[in-house]
Amino acid sequence: MFKNISNIVKSCNIQLVDLWRIGNKLPKALKIQLVHSLIHSRLDYGNGLLYGASVKDLDRLQKIQNSTTRFIYGTRKWRGVTQMRKELHFLPVRMRINFKICMLTYKCLHGLAPPYLMELIAKRPQNYHPLCDFTKLDLQKFKYTTPTTKAFSICAPILWNDLS
């Protein structure tokens, strides 16, 4: 996992250095498009696999996202980025990972996901309640004595049930 994150950070930093060279000549809208296509696509690719990664590793990815936010606004290192990130509608890295897993779970529940993913989650039998239309998921029984929390069949029900 560490090597994968190191490769992502390295490739994003290379792209960011190149973007900073031309950034002052570009309008904000184009900077946003470049960040989405060059940086966020790398951060998001396979980020569902990063569920359960260490805080240290996720902080490295968060620093990349913070740098892209500073690039878009043309600010330097000492300025906070939380408000700017909210204006750009960028979720923090941890939330992006959880969002992607929840989105896949939603697709599984509504028959929009591939069958091999739909098999991995099980709906909890619903007690009818007119005010509650939220589908809860059951954790599946484990084949092994020490289950991994990173598996989709484990993390998807945990995150989905936390939404309610």
Side-chain angles (χ1 to χ4, degrees):
M1 183 69 69
F2 178 78
K3 187 174 181 177
N4 181 33
I5 291 175
S6 294
N7 289 336
I8 293 170
V9 169
K10 182 179 176 182
S11 67
C12 288
N13 277 329
I14 290 170
Q15 293 293 326
L16 268 172
V17 168
D18 291 342
L19 288 174
W20 273 104
R21 288 186 190 142
I22 61 169
N24 59 353
K25 298 171 182 66
L26 302 173
K28 183 180 172 184
L30 183 57
K31 287 181 183 181
I32 293 170
Q33 286 180 345
L34 287 171
V35 163
H36 280 305
S37 64
L38 298 174
I39 308 296
H40 282 170
S41 62
R42 293 170 197 257
L43 290 176
D44 288 341
Y45 180 74
N47 70 352
L49 299 173
L50 297 176
Y51 179 81
S54 70
V55 172
K56 181 182 174 184
D57 288 338
L58 292 180
D59 284 345
R60 293 175 66 203
L61 296 174
Q62 186 61 52
K63 287 179 185 178
I64 294 293
Q65 189 185 45
N66 293 348
S67 297
T68 60
T69 304
R70 288 188 185 100
F71 162 72
I72 290 170
Y73 281 96
T75 60
R76 291 295 174 184
K77 206 173 196 176
W78 57 86
R79 181 129 183 248
V81 297
T82 305
Q83 187 59 37
M84 293 185 282
R85 202 174 54 230
K86 286 180 182 177
E87 291 173 12
L88 293 169
H89 303 285
F90 289 175
L91 286 174
V93 171
R94 283 179 196 84
M95 289 183 179
R96 289 172 83 95
I97 292 167
N98 292 349
F99 174 77
K100 189 167 189 177
I101 293 170
C102 287
M103 184 178 61
L104 281 173
T105 306
Y106 175 85
K107 288 182 177 182
C108 287
L109 291 173
H110 292 87
L112 303 171
Y116 66 89
L117 282 178
M118 292 170 52
E119 295 172 353
L120 296 176
I121 60 172
K123 293 180 187 177
R124 187 180 294 171
Q126 271 186 314
N127 295 337
Y128 178 74
H129 191 278
L131 298 177
C132 183
D133 193 26
F134 190 77
T135 304
K136 294 279 190 171
L137 300 178
D138 274 338
L139 284 172
Q140 293 194 358
K141 304 293 182 223
F142 309 120
K143 293 180 182 177
Y144 308 103
T145 55
T146 55
T148 176
T149 58
K150 295 180 181 185
F152 181 73
S153 59
I154 307 299
C155 68
I158 291 170
L159 289 173
W160 186 260
N161 292 340
D162 283 347
L163 292 176
S164 63

